[in-house]
Structure formats: structure tokens, C-alpha cells
Amino acid sequence: MEMNQFSLEGKIALITGASYGIGFAIASAYAKAGATICFNDMKQELVDKGIASYQELGIKAYGYVCDVTNEDMVTEMIAKIEQEVGVIDILVNNAGIIKRIPMCEMTAADFRQVIDVDLNAPFILSKAVIPSMIKKGHGKIINICSLMSELGRETVSAYAAAKGGLKMLTKNICSEYGASNIQCNGIGPGYIATPQTEPLRVKGNPFNDFIIAKTPAGRWGTPEDLMGPAVFLASDASNFVNGHVLYVDGGILAYIGKQPE
Ligand code: NAP
Ligand code: GCO
């Protein structure tokens, strides 16, 4: 086995919502593996902040303002990337939101917004890049799923519905485009310390201790924990891995949880 199977030299990657958080970590890992990085955010100020953060790591990243739920903006962004950088080899559907509201108190508009960002947008982005990947003869699509692709919990009905759907969209892209040498896989992060989970980690929140007791690793994950798995799924090393969700969760899905003392 050639070790350069894990190299991303010469590849162009688009990671959505990657000014910070998990997306930023994945994009940074891809750059270290040799890829050219493109990312987007909804606000120019965050795109600029993201570009500066990448520069601090010595990475020249191409940043674009784009709301991933807006198909016209996505079409424009992909065209710009193809013109300014080149055809996208790797798409990471990372941009996502969560609304933690008891289901019966959640408005349909709130539910729809989560589905729009976490499920409809990966469909829109994937549909936008697949034709060029087919022409190029290869492509990698990585959907950032969740433990909530498998499990539910109180207050996250919209998010779990979206992430469960994203798991099945992953399997369907595999089924429909595997013959075109496109591999579509998911990454299911466990509980990761990012702005999205900040409310769960505040001092004294019992959920913090709950997660640590439920995780064999005995800790919250970090965005850096996702770097290696993300490089693997973007590289030639995973060319025969398709339609799979790789859970990077410290073992939480396998474990009933520590007995309370
Ligand atoms: P985060 O810190 O909240 O970052 C989310 C990113 O997505 C932000 O850059 C945000 O931009 C962007 N975004 C949101 N809506 C967007 C839209 N409509 N168009 C473009 N960009 C948009 O989240 P994270 O923790 O890094 O999570 C990243 C992904 O991992 C999400 O899909 C999340 O569901 C998933 N995930 C997270 C965890 C975890 O424990 N953290 C675990 C499993 C899965 P703005 O700053 O402009 O809003
Ligand atoms: C929550 C958390 C989780 C994590 C992640 C777990 O409120 O339960 O936000 O949903 O973000 O998705 O994999």
C-alpha cells in the first residue's frame, strides 16, 4: 500500500461553514494534506475572519459569501470557484445549525429552518458539484452527520430528523453515483467542543457530566479529533468505502454509560 494514498496533493476541496469549528479543523487538515481550500460563510466579516485564521496557519484559503440554503447563491459560488480555483474534487457538507426546543413548543418555521440548513443544503451543494465530478471521473462528498443520525434526545427533533435524513442522503448519493467513481460518506462526530455545543458545556450544566459519563473516552471531543478521519474519507485510501457513516465519538454509541457513583 502506498502511503501517499492519504495525500490530497492537487485536490480542490470546498468545506461549507468553515470559518471556525469543525469545518475549520477539517479544512486545515486538508490543507496540511496538500489540498487547496475553499470555504464559505453567510457573512463577509466571518469569511474575512476565516481567511485570516487560515493565514495564521500558513494556509491560503479561498473564502466565499454564500448561504448554503440559497440555490442561486450556491450555483454562483460553485461557478466562481471553478473559474478562480478549479473543479471541486472534495465537498464537505459541514454547515449546520441546531435549535434545542421541546418539539411541541417548536414552530414549523423553526423546524423547517433546521431541515433547510442541515438536510436541504447538502442536497443543493451535492447536486451542484456532482456533474463536474462525473466529468472529471472522480469525486468525494463527505456529509457531517451526527450521533443524532442514530439516536434521539429531548429538544432536538428537527436536528435529529435532518441528520437522520442526511445519513440516508449519503447512502443514496453512494447508490446513484458510485458507478461514476464518486464516494459519498458521512462523519458522525460525537459531542465536540465547538460554539455549537457551548451551551451544553457551561459550568454546572449536568449535561456536561452526563456526556462524559456516556463517553468511554471520558471527555468531550475536539475538532482536531475529526481531522484524520476526514482526510481518510477525502483521500484515495477510501476509494472503496462508500455510503458509510464513520462515527468519531469516543465510543459513545457503543457504551451504555458509566454507573452513577
Ligand atoms: P458551529 O460551530 O455552529 O459552526 C457552524 C458553521 O456553519 C458556522 O460557520 C456557521 O456560520 C455555518 N452556517 C450555519 N448556517 C449556514 C448557512 N445557512 N449557510 C452557510 N453557513 C452556515 O458548528 P460545529 O460544531 O462546528 O458543527 C459543524 C457541523 O458538525 C454541523 O453540521 C453540526 O451539526 C455537526 N456536528 C457538530 C457536533 C458538535 O458536537 N459540535 C457533533 C456532531 C455533528 P455562521 O457563523 O455565519 O452562523
Ligand atoms: C445536542 C448536541 C448534539 C451534538 C451532536 C452529537 O444538543 O445533543 O448539540 O446534537 O451537536 O450532533 O453528535
Side-chain angles (χ1 to χ4, degrees):
M1 182 189 84
E2 294 296 317
M3 280 316 285
N4 64 9
Q5 276 194 345
F6 294 89
S7 165
L8 302 182
E9 282 298 337
K11 296 288 173 55
I12 294 166
L14 169 61
I15 303 92
T16 63
S19 300
Y20 57 86
I22 287 172
F24 181 84
I26 290 176
S28 305
Y30 285 3
K32 287 189 188 115
T36 299
I37 301 306
C38 305
F39 75 101
N40 73 291
D41 210 305
M42 287 183 285
K43 305 177 202 86
Q44 186 62 55
E45 64 192 284
L46 273 172
V47 169
D48 296 343
K49 191 168 162 282
I51 289 171
S53 303
Y54 286 111
Q55 260 162 356
E56 278 169 27
L57 298 178
I59 298 167
K60 174 182 175 19
Y62 295 83
Y64 298 87
V65 176
C66 176
D67 176 342
V68 290
T69 65
N70 181 319
E71 193 161 17
D72 292 341
M73 289 185 84
V74 168
T75 304
E76 191 186 332
M77 175 175 68
I78 301 299
K80 263 193 199 161
I81 291 173
E82 291 192 356
Q83 194 188 359
E84 296 168 359
V85 188
V87 171
I88 292 163
D89 300 289
I90 303 159
L91 167 67
V92 180
N93 285 308
N94 168 77
I97 62 171
I98 190 167
K99 288 179 185 284
R100 300 183 183 95
I101 306 167
M103 198 183 97
C104 291
E105 296 166 31
M106 182 179 255
T107 64
D110 276 333
F111 190 92
R112 266 197 292 271
Q113 190 189 358
V114 175
I115 298 291
D116 217 13
V117 180
D118 295 5
L119 180 56
N120 293 343
F123 161 76
I124 291 169
L125 267 293
S126 302
K127 196 172 81 139
V129 301
I130 284 172
S132 298
M133 287 180 171
I134 292 173
K135 278 197 204 104
K136 210 169 183 182
H138 63 78
K140 298 278 188 181
I141 297 175
I142 293 142
N143 293 320
I144 307 299
C145 297
S146 161
L147 295 179
M148 275 60 213
S149 299
E150 303 293 344
L151 304 171
R153 85 174 183 87
E154 300 80 2
T155 77
V156 297
S157 59
Y159 184 81
K163 293 297 188 179
L166 187 55
K167 175 176 77 171
M168 288 317 299
L169 178 63
T170 300
K171 291 175 186 271
N172 215 75
I173 293 171
C174 152
S175 307
E176 205 160 346
Y177 298 103
S180 301
N181 193 26
I182 291 173
Q183 290 84 49
C184 180
N185 292 287
I187 288 179
Y191 280 86
I192 311 293
T194 71
Q196 192 247 49
T197 54
E198 214 149 357
L200 305 176
R201 288 180 285 110
V202 290
K203 200 160 173 46
N205 184 338
F207 196 86
N208 184 55
D209 299 338
F210 169 67
I211 288 305
I212 290 173
K214 286 282 286 179
T215 307
R219 65 174 174 86
W220 282 75
T222 66
E224 291 68 30
D225 287 320
L226 298 163
M227 290 169 125
V231 169
F232 166 64
L233 288 177
S235 72
D236 289 342
S238 61
N239 283 351
F240 204 57
V241 178
N242 212 346
H244 181 79
V245 177
L246 176 57
Y247 288 96
V248 185
D249 66 356
I252 196 169
L253 270 180
Y255 184 39
I256 196 168
K258 196 181 293 302
Q259 176 184 328
E261 276 155 22

